[in-house]
Coordinates of all heavy atoms in Angstrom, one line a residue:
M1480 N 109.8 99.8 57.9 CA 110.9 99.6 58.8 C 110.3 99.4 60.2 O 109.5 100.1 60.7 CB 111.8 100.9 58.8 CG 113.0 100.8 59.7 SD 114.0 102.2 59.3 CE 115.1 102.1 60.7
A1481 N 110.7 98.3 60.9 CA 110.2 98.0 62.2 C 110.8 98.9 63.2 O 111.9 99.3 63.2 CB 110.6 96.5 62.5
K1482 N 110.0 99.2 64.3 CA 110.4 100.0 65.4 C 111.3 99.2 66.3 O 111.1 98.0 66.5 CB 109.2 100.5 66.2 CG 108.6 101.7 65.6 CD 107.5 102.2 66.6 CE 106.9 103.5 66.1 NZ 106.0 104.0 67.0
K1483 N 112.3 99.8 66.8 CA 113.2 99.2 67.8 C 112.6 99.3 69.2 O 112.3 100.4 69.6 CB 114.6 99.8 67.7 CG 115.7 98.9 68.2 CD 117.0 99.6 68.0 CE 117.9 98.7 67.2 NZ 119.2 99.3 67.1
I1484 N 112.4 98.2 69.9 CA 111.8 98.3 71.2 C 113.0 98.2 72.2 O 113.8 97.3 72.1 CB 110.9 97.1 71.4 CG1 109.7 97.2 70.5 CG2 110.4 97.1 72.9 CD1 108.8 96.0 70.5
K1485 N 113.0 99.2 73.1 CA 114.1 99.2 74.1 C 113.6 98.5 75.4 O 112.6 99.0 76.0 CB 114.5 100.6 74.4 CG 115.6 100.7 75.4 CD 116.0 102.2 75.6 CE 117.1 102.2 76.7 NZ 117.6 103.5 77.0
I1486 N 114.2 97.4 75.7 CA 113.9 96.6 76.9 C 115.1 96.6 77.8 O 116.2 96.2 77.4 CB 113.4 95.2 76.6 CG1 112.1 95.3 75.8 CG2 113.1 94.4 77.9 CD1 111.6 94.0 75.3
S1487 N 114.9 96.9 79.1 CA 116.0 96.8 80.1 C 115.6 96.0 81.3 O 114.4 96.0 81.6 CB 116.4 98.2 80.5 OG 116.8 99.0 79.4
T1488 N 116.6 95.4 81.9 CA 116.3 94.6 83.1 C 117.2 95.2 84.2 O 118.3 95.5 84.1 CB 116.7 93.1 82.9 OG1 116.0 92.6 81.8 CG2 116.4 92.3 84.2
F1489 N 116.5 95.4 85.4 CA 117.2 96.0 86.5 C 116.9 95.2 87.8 O 115.8 94.5 87.8 CB 116.7 97.5 86.8 CG 117.1 98.4 85.8 CD1 116.3 98.7 84.7 CD2 118.3 99.1 85.9 CE1 116.7 99.6 83.7 CE2 118.7 100.0 84.9 CZ 117.9 100.3 83.9
T1490 N 117.7 95.3 88.8 CA 117.5 94.6 90.1 C 117.0 95.7 91.0 O 117.7 96.7 91.2 CB 118.7 93.9 90.6 OG1 119.1 92.9 89.6 CG2 118.5 93.2 91.9
I1491 N 115.9 95.5 91.7 CA 115.3 96.5 92.6 C 115.3 96.0 94.0 O 114.7 95.0 94.3 CB 113.9 96.9 92.2 CG1 113.8 97.3 90.7 CG2 113.3 97.9 93.1 CD1 114.4 98.7 90.4
P1492 N 116.1 96.6 94.9 CA 116.1 96.2 96.3 C 114.9 96.8 97.0 O 114.6 98.0 96.8 CB 117.4 96.7 96.9 CG 117.8 97.8 96.0 CD 117.2 97.6 94.6
T1493 N 114.1 96.1 97.8 CA 113.0 96.6 98.5 C 113.1 96.1 100.0 O 114.0 95.3 100.3 CB 111.7 96.1 97.9 OG1 111.5 94.7 98.3 CG2 111.6 96.3 96.4
N1494 N 112.2 96.6 100.8 CA 112.2 96.1 102.2 C 111.6 94.7 102.3 O 111.5 94.1 103.3 CB 111.5 97.1 103.1 CG 110.0 97.2 102.8 OD1 109.5 96.6 101.9 ND2 109.3 98.1 103.6
R1495 N 111.1 94.2 101.2 CA 110.6 92.8 101.1 C 111.4 91.9 100.2 O 110.9 90.9 99.7 CB 109.1 92.8 100.6 CG 108.2 93.6 101.5 CD 108.1 92.9 102.8 NE 107.1 93.6 103.7 CZ 107.0 93.4 104.9 NH1 107.8 92.6 105.6 NH2 106.0 94.0 105.6
G1496 N 112.7 92.2 100.0 CA 113.5 91.4 99.2 C 114.0 92.1 97.9 O 113.8 93.3 97.7
T1497 N 114.8 91.4 97.1 CA 115.4 92.0 95.9 C 114.7 91.2 94.7 O 114.7 90.0 94.7 CB 116.9 91.8 95.9 OG1 117.4 92.4 97.1 CG2 117.5 92.4 94.7
Y1498 N 114.3 92.0 93.7 CA 113.6 91.5 92.6 C 114.1 92.0 91.3 O 114.5 93.2 91.2 CB 112.1 91.8 92.7 CG 111.5 91.1 93.9 CD1 111.4 91.8 95.1 CD2 110.9 89.9 93.8 CE1 110.9 91.2 96.2 CE2 110.4 89.3 94.9 CZ 110.4 89.9 96.1 OH 109.8 89.3 97.2
S1499 N 114.1 91.2 90.2 CA 114.5 91.7 88.9 C 113.2 92.2 88.2 O 112.1 91.6 88.4 CB 115.0 90.5 88.0 OG 116.2 90.1 88.5
V1500 N 113.3 93.4 87.6 CA 112.2 94.0 86.9 C 112.6 94.2 85.4 O 113.7 94.4 85.1 CB 111.8 95.3 87.5 CG1 111.3 95.1 89.0 CG2 112.8 96.4 87.5
V1501 N 111.6 94.2 84.6 CA 111.8 94.4 83.2 C 111.1 95.7 82.8 O 109.9 95.9 83.1 CB 111.1 93.2 82.3 CG1 111.3 93.5 80.8 CG2 111.8 91.9 82.7
L1502 N 111.8 96.6 82.2 CA 111.3 97.9 81.8 C 111.3 98.0 80.3 O 112.3 97.7 79.7 CB 112.2 99.1 82.4 CG 112.0 99.3 83.9 CD1 112.9 98.4 84.7 CD2 112.3 100.8 84.2
K1503 N 110.2 98.5 79.8 CA 110.1 98.6 78.3 C 109.6 100.0 78.0 O 108.6 100.4 78.6 CB 109.1 97.5 77.8 CG 108.8 97.6 76.3 CD 107.8 96.6 75.9 CE 107.1 97.0 74.7 NZ 105.9 96.2 74.4
W1504 N 110.3 100.7 77.2 CA 109.9 102.1 76.8 C 108.7 101.9 75.8 O 108.8 101.2 74.8 CB 111.0 102.9 76.1 CG 110.5 104.2 75.6 CD1 110.3 104.6 74.4 CD2 110.1 105.3 76.4 NE1 109.9 105.9 74.3 CE2 109.8 106.3 75.6 CE3 110.1 105.6 77.8 CZ2 109.3 107.6 76.0 CZ3 109.7 106.8 78.2 CH2 109.3 107.8 77.3
D1505 N 107.6 102.7 76.0 CA 106.4 102.7 75.1 C 106.4 104.0 74.5 O 106.1 105.0 75.2 CB 105.2 102.4 76.0 CG 104.0 102.2 75.1 OD1 103.7 103.1 74.3 OD2 103.4 101.1 75.1
D1506 N 106.6 104.1 73.2 CA 106.6 105.3 72.4 C 105.2 106.0 72.4 O 105.0 107.2 72.5 CB 107.0 105.1 71.0 CG 108.5 105.1 70.9 OD1 109.2 105.7 71.7 OD2 109.0 104.4 69.9
R1507 N 104.2 105.1 72.4 CA 102.8 105.7 72.3 C 102.4 106.4 73.6 O 101.9 107.5 73.6 CB 101.8 104.6 72.0 CG 100.4 105.0 71.8 CD 99.4 103.9 71.6 NE 99.4 103.1 72.9 CZ 98.8 102.0 73.0 NH1 98.2 101.4 72.0 NH2 98.9 101.3 74.2
D1508 N 102.7 105.8 74.7 CA 102.4 106.4 76.0 C 103.5 107.3 76.6 O 103.3 108.0 77.6 CB 102.1 105.3 77.1 CG 100.8 104.5 76.8 OD1 99.9 105.1 76.1 OD2 100.8 103.3 77.1
K1509 N 104.6 107.3 75.9 CA 105.8 108.0 76.4 C 106.1 107.7 77.9 O 106.2 108.6 78.7 CB 105.5 109.5 76.2 CG 105.2 109.9 74.8 CD 106.5 109.9 74.0 CE 106.2 110.5 72.6 NZ 106.5 109.5 71.5
A1510 N 106.2 106.4 78.2 CA 106.4 106.0 79.5 C 107.1 104.7 79.5 O 107.1 103.9 78.5 CB 105.1 105.9 80.3
Y1511 N 107.8 104.3 80.6 CA 108.4 103.0 80.8 C 107.3 102.1 81.5 O 106.7 102.4 82.5 CB 109.6 103.1 81.8 CG 110.8 103.8 81.2 CD1 111.0 105.1 81.3 CD2 111.7 103.0 80.4 CE1 112.1 105.7 80.7 CE2 112.8 103.6 79.9 CZ 113.0 104.9 80.0 OH 114.1 105.5 79.5
L1512 N 107.1 101.0 80.8 CA 106.2 100.0 81.4 C 107.0 99.0 82.2 O 108.1 98.5 81.7 CB 105.5 99.2 80.2 CG 104.7 100.2 79.3 CD1 104.0 99.4 78.2 CD2 103.7 101.0 80.0
V1513 N 106.6 98.6 83.3 CA 107.4 97.8 84.2 C 106.6 96.5 84.6 O 105.5 96.5 84.9 CB 107.7 98.6 85.6 CG1 108.6 97.7 86.5 CG2 108.3 99.9 85.3
S1514 N 107.3 95.4 84.5 CA 106.8 94.1 85.0 C 107.8 93.4 85.9 O 109.0 93.7 85.8 CB 106.3 93.2 83.8 OG 107.5 92.9 83.1
V1515 N 107.3 92.6 86.8 CA 108.1 91.8 87.7 C 107.9 90.3 87.4 O 106.9 89.8 87.8 CB 107.8 92.2 89.2 CG1 108.8 91.5 90.1 CG2 107.8 93.7 89.4
P1516 N 108.8 89.7 86.6 CA 108.5 88.3 86.2 C 108.3 87.3 87.4 O 107.5 86.4 87.3 CB 109.8 87.9 85.5 CG 110.4 89.2 85.0 CD 110.0 90.2 86.1
S1517 N 108.9 87.5 88.5 CA 108.8 86.6 89.6 C 107.5 86.8 90.5 O 107.2 86.0 91.3 CB 110.0 86.5 90.5 OG 110.2 87.8 91.0
L1518 N 106.8 87.9 90.2 CA 105.6 88.3 90.9 C 104.5 88.6 89.9 O 104.3 89.7 89.5 CB 105.8 89.5 91.8 CG 106.8 89.4 93.0 CD1 107.0 90.7 93.7 CD2 106.4 88.3 93.9
P1519 N 103.8 87.5 89.4 CA 102.8 87.7 88.3 C 101.8 88.7 88.7 O 101.3 88.7 89.9 CB 102.2 86.3 88.2 CG 103.2 85.4 88.8 CD 103.9 86.1 89.9
G1520 N 101.5 89.6 87.8 CA 100.4 90.6 88.1 C 100.9 91.9 88.6 O 100.2 92.9 88.7
V1521 N 102.2 91.9 88.9 CA 102.8 93.2 89.4 C 103.3 94.0 88.1 O 104.3 93.6 87.5 CB 104.0 93.0 90.4 CG1 104.6 94.4 90.7 CG2 103.5 92.3 91.6
I1522 N 102.5 95.0 87.7 CA 102.7 95.8 86.6 C 102.5 97.2 86.9 O 101.5 97.6 87.6 CB 101.8 95.4 85.4 CG1 102.0 93.9 85.1 CG2 102.0 96.3 84.2 CD1 101.0 93.4 84.1
T1523 N 103.4 98.1 86.5 CA 103.3 99.5 86.8 C 103.9 100.3 85.6 O 104.4 99.7 84.6 CB 103.8 99.9 88.2 OG1 103.5 101.3 88.5 CG2 105.3 99.7 88.2
F1524 N 104.1 101.6 85.8 CA 104.7 102.4 84.8 C 105.3 103.7 85.4 O 105.0 104.0 86.6 CB 103.8 102.8 83.7 CG 102.8 103.9 84.1 CD1 103.0 105.2 83.8 CD2 101.6 103.6 84.8 CE1 102.2 106.2 84.1 CE2 100.8 104.6 85.1 CZ 101.0 105.9 84.8
G1525 N 106.2 104.4 84.7 CA 106.8 105.6 85.1 C 107.1 106.5 83.9 O 107.5 106.0 82.9
K1526 N 107.0 107.8 84.0 CA 107.3 108.7 82.9 C 108.8 108.8 82.7 O 109.2 109.2 81.6 CB 106.7 110.1 83.2 CG 105.2 110.1 83.2 CD 104.7 109.8 81.7 CE 103.2 109.8 81.7 NZ 102.7 109.6 80.3
S1527 N 109.6 108.6 83.7 CA 111.1 108.6 83.6 C 111.6 107.3 84.1 O 110.9 106.5 84.8 CB 111.7 109.8 84.3 OG 111.5 109.5 85.7
L1528 N 112.9 107.0 83.8 CA 113.5 105.8 84.3 C 113.5 105.7 85.8 O 113.1 104.7 86.4 CB 114.9 105.6 83.7 CG 115.6 104.3 84.0 CD1 114.8 103.1 83.5 CD2 117.0 104.3 83.4
A1529 N 113.8 106.8 86.4 CA 113.9 106.9 87.9 C 112.5 106.7 88.5 O 112.3 106.0 89.5 CB 114.4 108.2 88.4
D1530 N 111.5 107.3 87.8 CA 110.1 107.2 88.3 C 109.6 105.7 88.1 O 108.9 105.2 89.0 CB 109.2 108.1 87.5 CG 107.8 108.2 88.0 OD1 107.6 108.2 89.2 OD2 106.8 108.3 87.2
A1531 N 110.0 105.1 87.0 CA 109.6 103.7 86.8 C 110.2 102.8 87.9 O 109.5 101.9 88.4 CB 110.0 103.3 85.4
K1532 N 111.4 103.0 88.2 CA 112.1 102.2 89.3 C 111.4 102.4 90.6 O 111.2 101.5 91.4 CB 113.6 102.5 89.3 CG 114.4 102.0 88.2 CD 115.8 102.4 88.3 CE 116.7 101.9 87.2 NZ 118.1 102.3 87.4
R1533 N 111.1 103.7 90.9 CA 110.4 104.0 92.2 C 109.0 103.3 92.3 O 108.6 102.8 93.3 CB 110.3 105.5 92.4 CG 109.8 106.0 93.7 CD 109.9 107.5 93.9 NE 109.5 108.3 92.8 CZ 110.3 108.9 91.9 NH1 111.6 108.8 92.1 NH2 109.8 109.6 90.9
M1534 N 108.3 103.4 91.1 CA 107.0 102.8 91.1 C 107.1 101.3 91.2 O 106.2 100.7 91.8 CB 106.3 103.2 89.8 CG 106.0 104.7 89.7 SD 104.8 105.3 91.0 CE 103.3 104.6 90.4
A1535 N 108.1 100.7 90.6 CA 108.3 99.3 90.7 C 108.5 98.8 92.1 O 107.9 97.9 92.6 CB 109.5 98.8 89.8
R1536 N 109.4 99.6 92.8 CA 109.6 99.3 94.2 C 108.3 99.4 95.1 O 108.0 98.5 95.9 CB 110.7 100.3 94.8 CG 111.0 100.0 96.2 CD 112.1 100.9 96.7 NE 112.2 100.6 98.2 CZ 113.1 101.2 98.9 NH1 113.8 102.2 98.4 NH2 113.2 100.9 100.2
D1537 N 107.6 100.4 94.9 CA 106.3 100.6 95.6 C 105.3 99.4 95.3 O 104.7 98.9 96.2 CB 105.6 101.9 95.2 CG 106.3 103.1 95.9 OD1 107.2 102.9 96.7 OD2 106.0 104.3 95.4
A1538 N 105.2 99.1 94.0 CA 104.3 98.0 93.6 C 104.7 96.7 94.2 O 103.9 95.9 94.7 CB 104.2 97.9 92.1
I1539 N 106.0 96.4 94.2 CA 106.5 95.1 94.8 C 106.2 95.1 96.3 O 105.7 94.1 96.8 CB 108.0 95.0 94.5 CG1 108.3 94.7 93.1 CG2 108.6 93.9 95.4 CD1 109.8 94.9 92.6
E1540 N 106.5 96.2 97.0 CA 106.3 96.2 98.4 C 104.8 96.1 98.8 O 104.5 95.3 99.7 CB 106.9 97.5 99.0 CG 108.4 97.5 99.0 CD 109.0 98.8 99.5 OE1 108.3 99.8 99.8 OE2 110.3 98.8 99.7
L1541 N 104.0 96.7 98.1 CA 102.5 96.6 98.3 C 102.0 95.2 98.1 O 101.2 94.7 98.9 CB 101.7 97.6 97.5 CG 101.9 99.1 98.0 CD1 101.2 100.0 96.9 CD2 101.2 99.3 99.3
Y1542 N 102.5 94.6 97.0 CA 102.1 93.3 96.6 C 102.5 92.3 97.7 O 101.8 91.4 98.2 CB 102.6 92.9 95.3 CG 102.2 91.6 94.7 CD1 101.0 91.4 94.1 CD2 103.0 90.4 94.8 CE1 100.6 90.2 93.6 CE2 102.7 89.2 94.3 CZ 101.5 89.1 93.7 OH 101.1 87.9 93.2
C1543 N 103.8 92.4 98.1 CA 104.3 91.5 99.1 C 103.6 91.7 100.5 O 103.4 90.7 101.2 CB 105.8 91.7 99.3 SG 106.8 91.1 97.9
D1544 N 103.3 93.0 100.8 CA 102.6 93.2 102.1 C 101.3 92.5 102.1 O 100.8 92.0 103.1 CB 102.4 94.7 102.3 CG 103.7 95.4 102.7 OD1 104.7 94.7 103.1 OD2 103.7 96.7 102.6
C1545 N 100.6 92.6 100.9 CA 99.3 91.9 100.9 C 99.4 90.4 101.0 O 98.6 89.7 101.7 CB 98.6 92.2 99.5 SG 98.0 93.9 99.4
L1546 N 100.4 89.8 100.4 CA 100.7 88.4 100.5 C 101.0 88.0 102.0 O 100.5 87.0 102.5 CB 101.8 87.9 99.6 CG 101.5 87.9 98.1 CD1 102.7 87.5 97.3 CD2 100.3 87.0 97.8
I1547 N 101.8 88.8 102.6 CA 102.2 88.5 104.0 C 101.0 88.6 104.9 O 100.8 87.8 105.8 CB 103.4 89.4 104.4 CG1 104.6 89.0 103.7 CG2 103.6 89.4 105.9 CD1 105.8 90.0 103.8
D1548 N 100.1 89.6 104.6 CA 98.9 89.8 105.4 C 98.0 88.5 105.3 O 97.2 88.2 106.2 CB 98.1 91.0 105.0 CG 98.8 92.3 105.5 OD1 99.7 92.2 106.4 OD2 98.4 93.4 105.0
E1549 N 98.1 87.8 104.2 CA 97.3 86.6 103.9 C 98.1 85.4 104.4 O 97.7 84.3 104.0 CB 97.0 86.5 102.4 CG 96.0 87.6 102.0 CD 94.6 87.5 102.6 OE1 94.1 86.4 102.8 OE2 94.1 88.6 102.9
N1550 N 99.2 85.6 105.1 CA 100.0 84.5 105.7 C 100.8 83.7 104.6 O 101.0 82.5 104.8 CB 99.2 83.6 106.6 CG 98.6 84.3 107.8 OD1 99.3 85.1 108.3 ND2 97.4 84.0 108.1
Y1551 N 101.1 84.3 103.5 CA 102.0 83.7 102.5 C 103.4 83.9 102.8 O 103.8 84.9 103.4 CB 101.7 84.2 101.1 CG 100.4 83.6 100.5 CD1 99.2 84.3 100.7 CD2 100.4 82.5 99.8 CE1 98.0 83.8 100.1 CE2 99.2 82.0 99.2 CZ 98.0 82.7 99.4 OH 96.9 82.2 98.9
I1552 N 104.3 83.0 102.4 CA 105.7 83.2 102.5 C 106.2 83.5 101.1 O 105.8 82.9 100.2 CB 106.4 81.8 103.0 CG1 105.8 81.4 104.4 CG2 107.9 82.0 103.0 CD1 106.2 82.3 105.5
I1553 N 107.1 84.5 101.0 CA 107.6 84.9 99.7 C 109.1 84.6 99.6 O 109.8 84.8 100.6 CB 107.4 86.4 99.6 CG1 105.9 86.8 99.8 CG2 107.8 86.9 98.2 CD1 105.7 88.3 100.1
I1554 N 109.5 84.2 98.5 CA 110.9 83.9 98.3 C 111.3 84.9 97.1 O 110.8 84.8 96.0 CB 111.2 82.5 97.9 CG1 110.7 81.5 99.0 CG2 112.7 82.3 97.6 CD1 110.8 80.1 98.7
D1555 N 112.3 85.8 97.4 CA 112.7 86.8 96.4 C 113.6 86.2 95.4 O 113.9 85.0 95.5 CB 113.2 88.1 97.1 CG 114.6 87.9 97.6 OD1 115.2 86.8 97.6 OD2 115.2 88.9 98.1
D1556 N 114.1 87.0 94.5 CA 115.0 86.5 93.4 C 116.4 86.1 93.9 O 117.1 85.4 93.2 CB 115.1 87.5 92.3 CG 113.8 87.7 91.6 OD1 112.9 86.9 91.7 OD2 113.7 88.7 90.8
T1557 N 116.7 86.5 95.1 CA 118.0 86.0 95.7 C 117.8 84.9 96.6 O 118.7 84.5 97.4 CB 118.7 87.2 96.5 OG1 117.9 87.6 97.6 CG2 119.0 88.4 95.6
K1558 N 116.6 84.3 96.6 CA 116.3 83.1 97.5 C 116.1 83.5 98.9 O 116.2 82.6 99.8 CB 117.2 82.0 97.3 CG 117.5 81.5 95.9 CD 116.2 81.1 95.2 CE 116.4 80.6 93.8 NZ 115.4 81.0 92.9
R1559 N 115.9 84.8 99.3 CA 115.7 85.2 100.6 C 114.2 85.0 100.9 O 113.3 85.3 100.1 CB 116.0 86.7 100.8 CG 115.7 87.2 102.1 CD 116.1 88.7 102.2 NE 115.2 89.3 103.2 CZ 114.8 90.6 103.1 NH1 115.1 91.3 102.1 NH2 114.0 91.0 104.0
V1560 N 113.9 84.4 102.1 CA 112.5 84.1 102.5 C 112.0 85.3 103.3 O 112.6 85.9 104.2 CB 112.5 82.9 103.4 CG1 111.1 82.6 103.9 CG2 113.0 81.7 102.6
V1561 N 110.8 85.8 102.9 CA 110.2 86.9 103.5 C 108.8 86.5 104.0 O 108.1 85.8 103.3 CB 110.0 88.1 102.5 CG1 109.4 89.3 103.2 CG2 111.3 88.5 101.9
G1562 N 108.4 86.9 105.2 CA 107.1 86.6 105.8 C 107.4 85.7 107.0 O 108.5 85.4 107.4
K1563 N 106.3 85.3 107.7 CA 106.4 84.5 108.8 C 105.2 83.6 108.9 O 104.1 83.9 108.5 CB 106.6 85.3 110.1 CG 105.6 86.3 110.3 CD 106.0 87.2 111.6 CE 105.2 88.4 111.6 NZ 105.5 89.3 112.7
V1564 N 105.5 82.4 109.5 CA 104.4 81.4 109.7 C 103.6 81.9 110.9 O 104.1 82.2 112.0 CB 105.0 80.0 110.0 CG1 103.9 79.0 110.2 CG2 105.9 79.6 108.8
P1565 N 102.2 81.9 110.8 CA 101.4 82.3 111.9 C 101.6 81.3 113.1 O 101.8 80.1 112.9 CB 100.0 82.2 111.4 CG 100.1 81.9 110.0 CD 101.5 81.6 109.6
R1566 N 101.5 81.8 114.3 CA 101.7 81.0 115.5 C 100.8 79.8 115.5 O 101.1 78.7 116.1 CB 101.6 81.8 116.8 CG 102.8 82.7 117.0 CD 102.7 83.4 118.4 NE 102.9 82.6 119.5 CZ 104.1 82.0 119.9 NH1 105.1 82.1 119.1 NH2 104.2 81.3 121.0
S1567 N 99.6 79.9 115.0 CA 98.6 78.8 115.0 C 99.1 77.6 114.2 O 98.6 76.5 114.3 CB 97.3 79.3 114.5 OG 97.4 79.7 113.1
R1568 N 100.1 77.9 113.3 CA 100.6 76.8 112.5 C 102.0 76.2 113.0 O 102.5 75.3 112.4 CB 100.8 77.2 111.0 CG 99.4 77.6 110.4 CD 99.6 77.8 109.0 NE 98.3 78.3 108.4 CZ 98.1 78.6 107.2 NH1 99.1 78.6 106.3 NH2 97.0 79.0 106.7
V1569 N 102.5 76.8 114.0 CA 103.7 76.3 114.6 C 103.5 75.2 115.6 O 102.6 75.4 116.5 CB 104.5 77.5 115.3 CG1 105.8 77.0 115.9 CG2 104.8 78.6 114.2
I1570 N 104.2 74.1 115.5 CA 104.0 73.0 116.4 C 105.3 72.8 117.1 O 106.4 72.7 116.6 CB 103.7 71.7 115.6 CG1 102.4 71.8 114.8 CG2 103.6 70.5 116.5 CD1 102.1 70.7 113.8
A1571 N 105.2 72.8 118.5 CA 106.4 72.5 119.3 C 106.7 71.1 119.2 O 105.9 70.2 119.3 CB 106.1 72.9 120.7
L1572 N 108.0 70.8 118.9 CA 108.4 69.4 118.7 C 108.3 68.6 119.9 O 108.1 67.4 119.8 CB 109.9 69.4 118.2 CG 110.1 70.0 116.8 CD1 111.6 70.0 116.5 CD2 109.3 69.2 115.8
D1573 N 108.3 69.1 121.1 CA 108.2 68.3 122.3 C 106.7 67.9 122.5 O 106.5 67.1 123.4 CB 108.8 69.0 123.5 CG 108.0 70.4 123.8 OD1 107.3 70.8 122.9 OD2 108.2 70.9 124.9
K1574 N 105.8 68.5 121.8 CA 104.4 68.2 122.0 C 103.9 67.2 120.9 O 102.8 66.7 121.0 CB 103.5 69.4 121.9 CG 104.0 70.5 122.9 CD 102.9 71.1 123.5 CE 103.5 72.2 124.4 NZ 102.8 72.5 125.6
V1575 N 104.8 66.8 120.0 CA 104.4 65.9 118.9 C 104.6 64.5 119.4 O 105.6 64.1 120.0 CB 105.2 66.1 117.6 CG1 104.9 65.1 116.6 CG2 105.0 67.5 117.1
A1576 N 103.6 63.6 119.3 CA 103.7 62.2 119.8 C 104.4 61.4 118.9 O 104.4 61.5 117.8 CB 102.3 61.7 120.1

């Protein structure tokens, strides 16, 4: 008999936007495994559902902070733009010939 895998999707609001996360219960580890489809490489876990959501929020915020520090612009799952263009890349239109 095959094991039933419990997978849930939640929306997590953070200070860097709103993201959908996928939580999967792992019987072997007795923990929720968390991934963020729109942010490849963001993976974490939590022993309870509340802990998994909190860890997801922390992981998303840290990942986005690193991207912003590297001058990347991030677009969250609601199409909100997060980050800013460095002043060195801003061109005043009155100075363009």
Side-chain angles (χ1 to χ4, degrees):
M1480 185 170 165
K1482 280 188 175 182
K1483 205 177 236 188
I1484 298 173
K1485 184 177 178 182
I1486 298 176
S1487 303
T1488 304
F1489 291 92
T1490 301
I1491 305 289
T1493 72
N1494 64 0
R1495 297 296 186 196
T1497 302
Y1498 298 89
S1499 294
V1500 298
V1501 177
L1502 286 85
K1503 176 182 153 190
W1504 176 254
D1505 187 302
D1506 281 329
R1507 185 183 64 189
D1508 293 331
K1509 304 287 187 237
Y1511 288 93
L1512 306 178
V1513 183
S1514 63
V1515 185
S1517 59
L1518 299 174
V1521 177
I1522 300 170
T1523 188
F1524 74 97
K1526 292 292 183 179
S1527 68
L1528 186 57
D1530 187 39
K1532 289 179 179 180
R1533 187 172 44 256
M1534 296 297 286
R1536 181 178 177 180
D1537 287 347
I1539 291 167
E1540 289 176 353
L1541 288 170
Y1542 184 82
C1543 290
D1544 286 346
C1545 289
L1546 290 177
I1547 290 168
D1548 286 348
E1549 295 292 323
N1550 297 322
Y1551 284 92
I1552 301 295
I1553 306 159
I1554 301 174
D1555 75 355
D1556 290 346
T1557 64
K1558 307 299 183 219
R1559 179 179 150 214
V1560 177
V1561 181
K1563 51 187 165 178
V1564 177
R1566 286 189 69 71
S1567 62
R1568 294 187 185 178
V1569 175
I1570 299 171
L1572 294 178
D1573 61 346
K1574 304 221 183 212
V1575 177

